Amino acid sequence: MVEKVIQLKCKCNEYPWGRQGSKSIAATLCSKTPGTDFKIDENTPYSEMWMGTYPELPSYVLSTGEDLQDVLDAHADDLIGQRIIKKFNHTKIPFLPKVLSIAKALPLQLHPNKDLASQLHARDPDQFTDPNHKPEIALALGDFEAFCGFKPLADIERLMQLPPLQAFLPGVKKPSFDDQSLKHVVKFLLTASDEAIRKTNDALLQIPREKYGQDAYILDLLPRLIEQYDNSDNGTIVALITMNYLQLKKGDSIYIPADGIHAYLSGDIIECMARSNNVLNTGFCPRADRDSVDLFTSCLTFTPHSGEECMLRDRPFDRSKGERRGCMRRR
C-alpha cells in the first residue's frame, strides 16, 4: 500500500521581483527540507516555491526522487480518488499551492476565465500552457501589500477630477461614472504614451496631500513604484488611482477571482489557486512583456469593487477541530 503522507522536494523560481537570497521565505523553506540539495545564493532573487504537479516547476518525492505526478499516476485510486478523477478527467492535482516572497511589485495582471483560457490555449499553447482559469487565495505570512480589484466608482471618479487625470476621462460624459467609464479610463491609461505617463506622474506628485483625501497614500507609493520600474510605466497610475491598496497583517487573506485585476506589492504569502499558469500582464513590466491591452480590458469583470470585497474573513466552522474552529469565507 502506498504511503499517503509524502514529503516533497520543491524548488524556487527566480523572477526579479523575488526577495534576495535568504531574505526569501520561499528559498528558506526549500533549503530547510532535510536531505535537499537546494542551496541559497545570496545574490539571487527567489520568488516562488511551488508545491504540486504543474510541469513548469514540479515537486518530487524526497525519499525516492520520483516526480510526484508519476507517483500519482501509479497510485491514482489511493492518492487522488475516483471522485476527483471523474470530476477533472485526469490524475493531476487540481490546485497549485505556492509560497511567494515579494520584494517589489509583480506585474499588473489578471488571469483569463475558463472560456477564454481554453481559446487562448488552443491558439497559443506556448504562452497559455493550459486551458484552465486561475482564481486564487492568498494568505499573508506577515505584513503584505497588494493592489486588488477596483475601488468604489465614487472614489475613482473623485480622483479622476484631479487636473492631471481629467484628460483620461471619456470624451462624452455619462450621467454617472459607471463600469464602462472605468473601462475607458483603464484602457486609455494603459495605452497612453511614455511621455504622457511621465508628465502625469510628475504632476500628481505636485498636488497637495490634502487633495487626495483618504487616498493620500498615493504620494508615498508613487515615488516607490517609479523607482522600482519607471516613470513611464502605465501600471502605476492604473493601480494607484483605480485599484484598492490593501495592507494585510499575518493571517489575513484575500481572494482573487478569475479576471480579477491585481498586483502584489510586497511581503510573504501562501497562495492556493486552480491548476493554471495563464496570465495577462499590462504593467509593472517592460513593454515587450506586456499582453494586448484590448484583450486585457475585454476580460475585466469589475469584481471586486471595494477593498472589503477582496477580503476573506475568518468565520466559525462547526466541522473543524481543535482550538481554532474557523475557516476563511468571502462575505
Side-chain angles (χ1 to χ4, degrees):
M1 184 174 178
V2 65
E3 179 63 54
K4 293 189 177 181
V5 178
I6 300 172
Q7 186 165 7
L8 299 179
K9 176 183 177 182
C10 303
K11 294 184 178 180
C12 278
N13 52 31
E14 301 171 2
Y15 297 132
W17 49 260
R19 286 187 162 166
Q20 202 85 355
S22 55
K23 294 179 181 178
S24 167
I25 287 182
T28 300
L29 289 173
C30 279
S31 69
K32 294 293 185 181
T33 303
T36 184
D37 56 359
F38 182 89
K39 302 296 182 184
I40 294 177
D41 179 350
E42 294 297 342
N43 296 314
T44 298
Y46 295 102
S47 48
E48 301 175 324
M49 180 181 79
W50 292 17
M51 297 163 280
T53 59
Y54 202 85
E56 184 173 319
L57 201 67
S59 298
Y60 297 86
V61 178
L62 181 64
S63 60
T64 65
E66 295 172 277
D67 189 310
L68 178 59
Q69 186 60 62
D70 292 340
V71 176
L72 296 180
D73 290 341
H75 305 280
D77 285 348
D78 290 326
L79 297 178
I80 299 295
Q82 282 300 314
R83 184 175 67 87
I84 299 300
I85 293 171
K86 290 176 181 178
K87 179 177 180 178
F88 293 99
N89 199 31
H90 59 64
T91 59
K92 303 175 180 69
I93 297 176
F95 51 85
L96 178 59
K98 302 179 182 179
V99 175
L100 275 66
S101 291
I102 304 159
K104 66 177 186 177
L106 275 68
L108 180 67
Q109 61 186 264
L110 59 76
H111 306 296
N113 62 39
K114 181 73 171 173
D115 290 341
L116 180 58
S118 296
Q119 297 172 31
L120 294 173
H121 176 63
R123 187 190 314 163
D124 187 358
D126 290 334
Q127 179 177 355
F128 302 98
T129 52
D130 59 75
N132 297 326
H133 62 172
K134 192 182 173 186
E136 57 192 45
I137 293 170
L139 175 70
L141 298 176
D143 291 347
F144 171 55
E145 299 173 283
F147 294 112
C148 179
F150 289 112
K151 295 173 180 173
L153 287 168
D155 294 348
I156 300 171
E157 183 179 22
R158 173 179 52 80
L159 288 170
M160 291 302 299
Q161 299 309 311
L162 294 171
L165 298 173
Q166 291 179 13
F168 298 101
L169 286 167
V172 178
K173 187 174 182 179
K174 292 186 173 184
S176 62
F177 188 86
D178 58 14
D179 282 338
Q180 287 306 307
S181 305
L182 175 55
K183 184 176 181 178
H184 171 97
V185 166
V186 172
K187 186 173 183 178
F188 206 172
L189 287 169
L190 289 175
T191 55
S193 68
D194 289 358
E195 183 62 21
I197 295 297
R198 275 194 293 267
K199 287 182 176 179
T200 303
N201 282 337
D202 291 343
L204 289 172
L205 288 170
Q206 301 306 312
I207 294 176
R209 180 173 290 268
E210 61 269 18
K211 295 291 186 181
Y212 286 95
Q214 66 187 24
D215 299 295
Y217 65 82
I218 289 172
L219 287 176
D220 302 317
L221 289 182
L222 182 51
R224 180 174 155 195
L225 292 170
I226 289 172
E227 182 180 3
Q228 288 183 3
Y229 289 95
D230 187 83
N231 199 13
S232 63
D233 193 296
N234 303 66
T236 300
I237 302 178
V238 173
L240 290 173
I241 301 301
T242 72
M243 296 175 65
N244 301 298
Y245 169 58
L246 304 179
Q247 294 176 291
L248 278 64
K249 296 295 184 182
K250 181 179 179 180
D252 290 340
S253 185
I254 55 175
Y255 170 70
I256 310 293
D259 291 343
I261 189 171
H262 61 290
Y264 297 156
L265 188 53
S266 73
D268 298 296
I269 59 173
I270 293 179
E271 259 191 328
C272 190
M273 62 202 65
R275 188 182 187 277
S276 176
N277 198 34
N278 293 324
V279 64
L280 297 172
N281 297 323
T282 56
F284 300 145
C285 59
R287 284 194 179 274
D289 295 340
R290 298 179 195 176
D291 294 292
S292 162
V293 171
D294 286 337
L295 179 60
F296 185 90
T297 53
S298 71
C299 295
L300 292 174
T301 58
F302 307 102
T303 301
H305 229 321
S306 72
E308 181 57 32
E309 289 180 16
C310 302
M311 301 299 297
L312 287 174
R313 297 301 185 187
D314 194 353
R315 294 186 177 186
F317 184 58
D318 58 12
R319 289 163 55 191
S320 64
K321 297 180 180 180
E323 293 183 5
R324 185 167 183 176
R325 301 175 64 85
C327 66
M328 297 292 188
R329 293 183 180 177
R330 292 185 68 199
R331 287 191 170 182

